[in-house]
Amino acid sequence: MRNLDVALLRAFVTVAETGSMTGAAEVLNLTQGAVSQQIKRLETALERALFDRTRKGLHLTEDGEKLLRKAQRMLLLNDEIWQDMSADGYVGKLTVGIPYDLVGTFMRTPLRKFCDHYPGIELSLRCHSSSELRAMVNGGEIDIALVEEPVGQIAGDCLAVAPLVWVGAKSGKAQTKRPLPVSLVSRECAFRPAVIDGLDQAGIAWRSVFESGNIEATAATVRSDLSVTAFLVGTIPDDLEALRGDHGLPELPKFAISLMEKAGAHNDVRDVFAQMVRTHFHQM
């Protein structure tokens, strides 16, 4: 009975998912040459080509397509086994802070994985504005938090950078009205200064329609075409749309999504969560 090398399968799946040796090398923290050698070794072991190599890039062969689905399942099982076997020693409590707009978008997957892989850890979630979460971390109220910060004012460990864009109802007209009707989650919203400064500098009159602290209620006012708002790319609800630049609205700045940790003694549980979040953002 012959055994498959899981490392070779991981290289194959990563190349297939990223579409290039270079992309896979970055994800796997290997050189491009090392990834290429792993693919060649796998193709030699299986005695068949897994990729068609053309000037336009790499494309899975029919055999590659057949292998991909099973290789993904095998890697998932491999990772689950390692997580299960290494997670037994982790017990404790962890309080995590996340802005409202990131909970159901960027953080849905890592939160679920963390709870699945580390059932011995009691995770508590706190949703507030970035400024409130920053104060909570600095005050020791929560263990770790994601915060949204303007690029150039980053205080935490930057995980990703995303553009802030205007968002409105699909086929809506609120963006054409003056004064511009604007809804923001709250007065503490990290995006509020950027939105107001942008409008003021562009000389666009505006009025506040809604400030509730509830992102779903804010989205509802936009969905009803009562107002426009601002979201990071990647967090826009499916039933809303980013507004094009032909409505005279000013361009908004980019924001960093950063990780902040409570100062003090080393915390293994917090480190495990932080590493899982970093890995998730690195693979996005």
Side-chain angles (χ1 to χ4, degrees):
M1 180 68 68
R2 300 173 64 186
N3 297 316
L4 287 167
D5 188 328
V6 175
L8 301 185
L9 289 179
R10 192 176 301 279
F12 164 71
V13 169
T14 307
V15 171
E17 292 178 343
T18 61
S20 70
M21 298 287 183
T22 302
E26 292 177 357
V27 171
L28 297 171
N29 197 27
L30 297 172
T31 65
Q32 182 176 339
V35 174
S36 179
Q37 285 299 316
Q38 288 181 319
I39 298 302
K40 288 181 180 178
R41 285 173 56 194
L42 183 60
E43 289 181 323
T44 298
L46 297 175
E47 299 181 346
R48 61 198 64 206
L50 301 173
F51 292 99
D52 284 325
R53 296 160 174 81
T54 68
R55 291 183 179 179
K56 294 183 178 180
L58 296 175
H59 302 281
L60 286 169
T61 62
E62 185 176 344
D63 287 325
E65 291 280 5
K66 185 188 304 181
L67 174 63
L68 179 60
R69 293 187 294 275
K70 294 182 178 180
Q72 288 170 326
R73 296 204 303 269
M74 188 170 178
L75 288 178
L76 180 61
L77 182 58
N78 174 85
D79 294 347
E80 286 179 352
I81 290 172
W82 276 106
Q83 292 285 3
D84 289 344
M85 294 300 100
S86 62
D88 289 346
Y90 288 113
V91 294
K93 298 181 179 180
L94 186 70
T95 304
V96 179
I98 305 176
Y100 301 99
D101 58 321
L102 300 185
V103 172
T105 53
F106 287 106
M107 288 300 293
R108 180 191 299 117
T109 298
L111 284 172
R112 181 170 182 174
K113 283 185 177 180
F114 183 81
C115 291
D116 287 345
H117 293 160
Y118 302 100
I121 299 176
E122 297 179 14
L123 188 146
S124 298
L125 197 60
R126 303 281 294 275
C127 289
H128 296 277
S129 69
S130 290
S131 61
E132 292 170 321
L133 293 174
R134 192 179 296 109
M136 288 178 176
V137 172
N138 292 334
E141 295 179 54
I142 56 179
D143 299 301
I144 190 168
L146 270 74
V147 296
E148 295 157 325
E149 307 173 295
V151 172
Q153 302 177 31
I154 301 173
D157 176 12
C158 181
L159 302 175
V161 173
L164 184 67
V165 296
W166 293 102
V167 172
K170 291 185 177 180
S171 302
K173 298 180 179 179
Q175 62 270 22
T176 66
K177 298 177 181 178
R178 297 295 182 272
L180 181 72
V182 179
S183 286
L184 294 172
V185 174
S186 71
R187 289 189 174 275
E188 291 77 29
C189 176
F191 308 145
R192 182 185 174 88
V195 168
I196 293 176
D197 288 348
L199 291 172
D200 288 347
Q201 290 178 18
I204 297 176
W206 63 278
R207 65 183 180 89
S208 177
V209 172
F210 188 73
E211 293 179 1
S212 74
N214 185 316
I215 194 167
E216 289 301 325
T218 298
T221 66
V222 178
R223 193 175 296 118
S224 301
D225 202 25
L226 296 177
S227 64
V228 298
T229 191
F231 277 97
L232 291 182
V233 169
T235 68
I236 302 171
D238 292 339
D239 55 354
L240 301 178
E241 64 180 7
L243 300 174
R244 301 186 304 274
D246 55 359
H247 298 294
L249 299 180
E251 183 177 353
L252 297 172
K254 293 182 178 180
F255 273 71
I257 299 173
S258 302
L259 197 64
M260 294 189 67
E261 301 182 48
K262 181 173 69 175
H266 179 74
N267 185 318
D268 287 338
V269 172
R270 185 181 63 206
D271 290 348
V272 167
F273 179 82
Q275 186 55 48
M276 183 170 284
V277 172
R278 290 189 181 98
T279 299
H280 171 73
F281 274 86
H282 181 70
Q283 293 176 344
M284 286 175 58

